[in-house]
């Protein structure tokens, strides 16, 4: 959309898009985001500090969810990768998400992309149905002039998700991202394999660790790595493991994604 007109349902696309045999990913995302803005920002105005986390980050998350539902997981992976690349370019100089505004040089690299990653993490932590239930209720309550604020939505999410969710929201919204997950070479120990993990960030992370065997099989392990500490992923297999990756779904925004795989 141009000049904010997408909040009224207008989306501008290149005429060449109509000549393609299939819609391209960028146009599909732009159209999906425009439809989402009829709901978030149109029907329910976004107000207050941190509005970009809703107006840009939440919109991109919802649009990406729609693309995954319509076109499948494989087709949305490239969009998630693009979001991660855009965020990684500004991660080292990023501002706290809740206080970012469009005059910041990092805003458009961070807020729409890291914001979408943040909401994806909240969705995963709460469960999709619970998260969407809180979101719908907050948007319905703010229809017309009242609007919705990031602070109000946070309060509603904490009321549903409890103290553990509050800690996640506080860290992800109010602090500069310092999470960097590292993984070591896989080592065999009896009938199992293991990889050392390190989390230099200030919050505990609960992640999946994926291993690939020499036969191409995928083995998953779930583990929690404490803040500023070490952990271990244990793979219950006797097959030779040739590759490991921490957080393969890349749920956690990080300062550096280059040391996630070995």
């Amino acid at each position: 959309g141009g000049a904010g007109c997408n909040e009224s349902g207008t989306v501008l696309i290149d005429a060449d898009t109509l000549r393609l045999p299939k819609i391209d990913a960028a146009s599909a995302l732009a159209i999906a985001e425009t439809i989402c803005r009829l709901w978030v920002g149109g029907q329910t105005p976004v107000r207050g500090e941190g509005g970009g986390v809703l107006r840009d980050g939440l919109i991109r998350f919802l649009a990406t969810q729609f693309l995954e539902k319509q076109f499948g997981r494989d087709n949305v992976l490239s969009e998630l990768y693009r979001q991660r690349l855009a965020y990684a370019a500004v991660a080292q100089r990023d501002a706290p998400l809740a206080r970012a505004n469009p005059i910041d040089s990092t805003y458009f690299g961070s807020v729409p992309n890291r914001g979408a990653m943040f909401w994806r993490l909240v969705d995963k932590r709460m469960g999709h149905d619970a998260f969407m239930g809180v979101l719908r209720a907050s948007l319905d309550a703010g229809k017309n002039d009242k609007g919705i604020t990031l602070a109000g939505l946070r309060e509603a999410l904490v009321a549903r998700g409890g103290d553990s969710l509050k800690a996640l929201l506080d860290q992800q919204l109010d602090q500069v991202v310092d999470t960097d997950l590292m993984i070591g070479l896989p080592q065999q120990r009896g009938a199992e394999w293991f990889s050392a993990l390190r989390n230099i960030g200030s919050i505990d992370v609960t992640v999946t660790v994926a291993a690939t065997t020499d036969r191409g099989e995928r083995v998953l392990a779930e583990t929690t790595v404490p803040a500023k500490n070490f952990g271990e992923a244990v793979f219950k297999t006797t097959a030779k493991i040739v590759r490991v990756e921490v957080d393969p779904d890349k749920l956690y925004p990080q300062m550096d994604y280059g040391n996630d795989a070995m």
Side-chain angles (χ1 to χ4, degrees):
C5 63
N6 56 4
E7 288 189 3
S8 64
T10 302
V11 58
L12 307 179
I13 59 175
D14 193 300
D16 289 340
T17 300
L18 303 177
R19 300 187 179 96
L20 297 173
K22 294 182 179 179
I23 188 169
D24 64 284
S27 296
L29 183 68
I31 293 168
E33 288 187 348
T34 298
I35 299 303
C36 291
R37 283 193 169 95
L38 292 175
W39 185 31
V40 183
Q43 178 178 272
T44 304
V46 175
R47 306 194 189 283
E49 187 178 22
V53 184
L54 303 175
R55 190 180 299 108
D56 294 312
L58 180 60
I59 290 294
R60 183 150 294 171
F61 164 76
L62 293 172
T64 305
Q65 288 269 300
F66 172 77
L67 293 185
E68 182 172 352
K69 181 179 178 181
Q70 294 298 313
F71 302 108
R73 174 70 176 169
D74 290 345
N75 286 314
V76 86
L77 287 177
S78 59
E79 170 55 26
L80 295 175
Y81 181 61
R82 189 206 61 75
Q83 291 173 16
R84 199 155 62 245
L85 282 179
Y87 169 64
V90 300
Q92 300 285 348
R93 51 194 178 91
D94 198 16
L97 200 54
R99 295 199 292 274
N101 65 75
I103 66 171
D104 296 334
S105 62
T106 59
Y107 181 91
F108 291 102
S110 172
V111 175
N113 301 301
R114 178 188 161 198
M117 296 162 69
F118 161 70
W119 290 116
R120 189 163 158 250
L121 184 58
V122 173
D123 179 88
K124 186 78 171 179
R125 179 69 66 89
M126 290 186 71
H128 182 68
D129 291 342
F131 172 58
M132 293 305 293
V134 172
L135 179 59
R136 285 193 184 96
S138 298
L139 288 167
D140 287 344
K143 279 182 181 178
N144 303 321
D145 292 335
K146 184 180 179 182
I148 186 174
T149 65
L150 177 61
L153 182 55
R154 281 179 76 166
E155 188 176 319
L157 290 169
V158 170
R160 179 69 182 268
D163 290 342
S164 63
L165 183 64
K166 182 180 185 302
L168 176 70
L169 296 177
D170 290 349
Q171 193 279 335
Q172 290 291 322
L173 290 173
D174 300 331
Q175 301 177 31
V176 174
V177 167
D178 62 0
T179 300
D180 185 9
L181 304 176
M182 305 177 188
I183 192 165
L185 286 168
Q187 307 287 331
Q188 190 168 19
R189 187 168 56 196
E192 299 175 333
W193 287 75
F194 73 97
S195 277
L197 301 170
R198 187 180 182 190
N199 169 20
I200 69 170
S202 57
I203 61 166
D204 297 352
V205 297
T206 300
V207 289
T208 299
V209 187
T212 305
T213 71
D214 57 354
R215 296 194 295 266
E217 299 167 334
R218 203 163 183 250
V219 184
L220 303 178
E222 301 286 335
T223 188
T224 296
V225 191
K228 300 186 183 300
N229 212 327
F230 294 87
E232 187 176 83
V234 179
F235 305 100
K236 299 183 183 302
T237 181
T238 56
K240 183 180 180 181
I241 288 178
V242 296
R243 185 182 187 274
V244 286
E245 181 178 4
V246 61
D247 194 16
D249 292 330
K250 298 297 174 274
L251 288 172
Y252 286 89
Q254 298 183 58
M255 295 187 300
D256 181 5
Y257 294 97
N259 46 25
D260 286 12
M262 275 289 194

